[in-house]
Amino acid sequence: MTSEHRASERLNSLAPRRRTVVKAAAATAGAALLATPFPAGAADEAPAFLHGVASGDPLPDGILLWTRVTPVAAATPGSGLGPDTEVNWTVATDKAFTNVVAKGSVTATAASDHTVKADVRGLAPATDYWFRFSAGGTDSPAARTRTAPAADAAVNNLRFGVVSCANWEAGHFSAYRHLAARGDLDAWLHLGDYIYEYGTGEYGTRDTVVRQHAPTHEILTLADYRVRHGKYKTDSDLQALHTVAPVVAIWDDHEFANDAWSGGAENHTEGAEGAWAARQAAAKQAYFEWMPVRPAIAGTTYRRLRFGKLVDLSLLDLRSFRSQQVSVGNGSVDDPDRTLTGRAQLDWLKAGLKSSDTTWRLVGNSVMISPFAIGSLSADLLKPLAELLGLPKEGLALNTDQWDGYTDDRRELLAHLRSNAIRNTVFLTGDIHMAWANDVPVDAGTYPLSASAATEFVVTSVTSDNLDDIVKVPEGTVSALAAPIIKAANRHVHWVDTDRHGYGVLDITAGRAQMDYYVLSDKTKADATSSWARSYRTRTGTQKVERTYDPV
């Protein structure tokens, strides 16, 4: 147990808890930027846990716990207001907290937006635990978490939820609710775009804002990013998922700004919107405050977790170090001086894949690594697809924001997998708002006569618009027309669904890794139902995807 999370024996002597709720004003975005002094009597208000609790980054002996306390009504996210508040945490083996195994306290301050984390160690591997926080006599909700298996443990099975791309204004987060209801997840992976940075109605929702986010303007400052994170954390479906299993998260571009790179972003105007370095720093600070994620190498999100002898999971940061995206046709996508990963991260990834002694090597990968040529789509489909991918609407056969725009990095990585006979590498990907099941060919032009180096499962968006939303046609219409053309131009693609929203469930045994794809009935409905759509698996040693006709 770290010194900052000192043992707090006074937990046992606390007075009976008051489960009171601060006034509703604390939950409204309008109060987020209050600059007035605390109202009279504020010191008498009971703290509240309005933004839920969460856990993340499971280790064999530990877990990272997170919450945000609202000590007084004025201390809304991003306000900079509110007193220092002691927050106690408790971990037990049972929901009733009769068998407490760890406890401590940490101080929530305005400097960290009253968010707190406890990096709890000394726990047993592969074990379910319950945790909660308390402050000023008020308890948070109780939540379940789970540690990772011991590093040398023989593990028969692991199951992960997989999600990406959740635009608050585009719909409800029913995908999170349905994942939470399963009750069988060892953890869940968020592959990026946990939040979106745009102002109201500016991204994806076109003529329909299902529910308005906060602040209503594009987020630029530290206070803005805090308010937006805080708004997301009030979603009941998101809170529900955070209370049943630990999350393993990486960021993509919208945690910063659309099509972000190391020195800027497509959705950032230097000068008019301030300096990119300041905006990037603000976004990163808010992310680490509000997410149950351990800052890893160089203060980014790239890091590695291990789940016994079955899986290791390398998580990539593909925004902090990348070169600026280029237009297609000038040859610079192949420039060896341009990078997606940065030299240090690529070397780290290659070394980890080579030295791994687990059966499976998973790579949390925010943008698609499989090559993608658009093919001969008609103009009425090509233009919306180009819009979704951020391409010029005249139509080009490449999305330079993903690995296609940085082919030297991809070539080096895939050659490394082949030359070192590294098997069972599976890329888990978000970003593109479509579901895919792909082989990852060494040479797409000669595939399938040439080799596949790995496989890739891409999950669709939770709510962010995909092709049927953009074209405004019934769900499934575009896929019926576009999928055969995309597959014909990309022989390594086994399946693509351009139209639906949902999530994935990745189930892993020694013999295979299987992704079950689930879709929602209607993202605009808070009570949307979920149904199984398709399943694909890769069997050990094959480096190829195949369809299977039942979910696990």
Side-chain angles (χ1 to χ4, degrees):
M1 195 176 302
T2 60
S3 59
E4 66 174 316
H5 305 124
R6 60 193 181 278
S8 181
E9 294 302 323
R10 60 185 291 275
L11 274 172
N12 294 329
S13 60
L14 285 173
R17 289 165 167 56
R18 306 184 309 274
R19 289 172 174 81
T20 54
V21 179
V22 297
K23 61 190 69 174
T28 64
L33 298 176
L34 283 174
T36 55
F38 297 130
D44 297 328
E45 297 176 14
F49 296 94
L50 303 178
H51 300 91
V53 300
S55 66
D57 281 5
L59 302 173
D61 69 337
I63 196 75
L64 188 69
L65 308 181
W66 176 93
T67 195
R68 199 248 182 200
V69 64
T70 304
V72 293
T76 53
S79 65
L81 301 177
D84 292 358
T85 303
E86 184 179 33
V87 180
N88 299 297
W89 54 265
T90 307
V91 178
T93 58
D94 62 312
K95 190 176 183 179
F97 290 87
T98 58
N99 183 31
V100 173
V101 296
K103 56 187 176 180
S105 66
V106 65
T107 301
T109 69
S112 61
D113 208 23
H114 287 96
T115 63
V116 295
K117 294 180 182 180
D119 198 346
V120 183
R121 303 298 174 92
L123 303 178
T127 301
D128 288 347
Y129 288 99
W130 289 85
F131 69 94
R132 67 185 176 198
F133 295 88
S134 62
T138 300
D139 286 344
S140 77
R144 170 192 173 272
T145 191
R146 183 171 177 81
T147 52
D152 61 351
V155 179
N156 292 327
N157 176 258
L158 290 166
R159 190 167 293 171
F160 301 117
V162 189
V163 291
S164 75
C165 303
N167 180 8
W168 176 282
E169 292 201 333
H172 296 278
F173 295 162
S174 301
Y176 296 150
R177 182 178 75 257
H178 288 291
L179 271 175
R182 294 180 62 97
D184 63 352
L185 302 179
D186 292 285
W188 55 287
L189 312 183
H190 201 294
L191 298 172
D193 298 343
Y194 186 98
I195 66 166
Y196 277 74
E197 85 281 11
Y198 285 92
T200 288
E202 293 179 357
Y203 181 81
T205 51
R206 304 300 181 267
D207 303 324
T208 305
V209 173
V210 176
R211 50 182 186 162
Q212 193 174 82
H213 55 41
T216 56
H217 58 266
E218 182 179 336
I219 55 177
L220 300 170
T221 67
L222 177 58
D224 290 343
Y225 281 95
R226 285 168 163 175
V227 173
R228 188 66 56 85
H229 274 281
K231 183 67 171 180
Y232 269 66
K233 283 292 201 302
T234 64
D235 183 87
S236 59
D237 293 335
L238 179 56
Q239 287 190 6
L241 184 51
H242 275 303
T243 62
V244 299
V247 66
V248 178
I250 54 175
W251 57 45
D252 192 27
D253 53 339
H254 292 291
E255 284 87 352
F256 304 93
N258 185 55
D259 285 359
W261 57 286
S262 58
E266 178 276 332
N267 189 33
H268 179 77
T269 304
E270 194 78 11
E273 295 181 327
W276 172 251
R279 183 177 184 178
Q280 183 187 52
K284 287 187 175 183
Q285 179 177 334
Y287 185 89
F288 282 120
E289 288 171 346
W290 279 88
M291 296 292 290
V293 170
R294 292 186 185 87
I297 302 166
T300 78
T301 56
Y302 83 84
R303 62 203 190 280
R304 185 172 290 116
L305 298 173
R306 182 182 174 107
F307 295 82
K309 296 174 72 174
L310 187 60
V311 162
D312 68 20
L313 172 61
S314 300
L315 300 149
L316 303 184
D317 176 356
L318 299 183
R319 295 295 166 181
S320 294
F321 311 105
R322 72 155 73 197
S323 307
Q324 186 172 10
Q325 299 89 341
V326 296
S327 59
V328 181
N330 60 12
S332 57
V333 295
D334 300 317
D335 184 348
D337 291 331
R338 298 181 63 259
T339 181
L340 178 65
T341 60
R343 184 74 257 165
Q345 184 176 197
L346 186 57
D347 288 345
W348 167 87
L349 176 60
K350 288 166 59 182
L353 293 170
K354 183 177 179 180
S355 64
S356 173
D357 62 350
T358 57
T359 303
W360 294 94
R361 280 149 289 280
L362 306 182
V363 182
N365 172 55
S366 59
V367 295
M368 196 160 80
I369 190 169
S370 301
F372 170 48
I374 290 175
S376 54
L377 288 176
S378 59
D380 59 333
L381 292 180
L382 183 57
K383 289 184 178 181
L385 181 61
E387 181 177 352
L388 180 63
L389 300 178
L391 302 175
K393 293 183 181 59
E394 296 74 32
L396 295 167
L398 211 60
N399 176 4
T400 62
D401 187 58
Q402 55 195 42
W403 288 77
D404 274 337
Y406 305 84
T407 60
D408 195 69
D409 278 1
R410 180 171 63 194
R411 189 180 303 112
E412 180 178 336
L413 178 56
L414 299 185
H416 176 75
L417 294 177
R418 291 289 296 166
S419 63
N420 291 282
I422 299 170
R423 306 190 313 165
N424 296 358
T425 301
V426 181
F427 291 88
L428 304 172
T429 305
D431 176 67
I432 203 169
H433 307 179
M434 295 182 271
W436 302 67
N438 303 326
D439 300 338
V440 184
V442 176
D443 183 352
T446 59
Y447 197 75
L449 298 178
S450 56
S452 175
T455 53
E456 180 176 37
F457 297 124
V458 184
V459 294
T460 186
S461 61
V462 171
T463 59
S464 301
D465 276 9
N466 45 30
L467 287 190
D468 69 304
D469 300 312
I470 294 173
V471 182
K472 298 186 183 304
V473 295
E475 190 176 83
T477 304
V478 180
S479 271
L481 298 172
I485 297 172
I486 291 173
K487 288 174 64 179
N490 301 269
R491 288 171 290 180
H492 53 282
V493 173
H494 292 256
W495 179 60
V496 56
D497 183 339
T498 66
D499 293 357
R500 293 172 178 83
H501 303 277
Y503 56 94
V505 176
L506 181 70
D507 190 272
I508 306 171
T509 66
R512 55 103 184 107
Q514 177 168 325
M515 181 70 84
D516 296 333
Y517 294 88
Y518 290 85
V519 296
L520 301 174
S521 59
D522 187 339
K523 68 173 184 175
T524 68
K525 306 297 184 185
D527 60 351
T529 58
S530 170
S531 60
W532 170 72
R534 284 226 184 176
S535 292
Y536 287 85
R537 67 186 178 191
T538 175
R539 289 188 288 181
T540 185
T542 66
Q543 282 64 254
K544 292 187 177 182
V545 164
E546 64 183 21
R547 186 176 179 184
T548 182
Y549 291 86
D550 294 290
V552 173

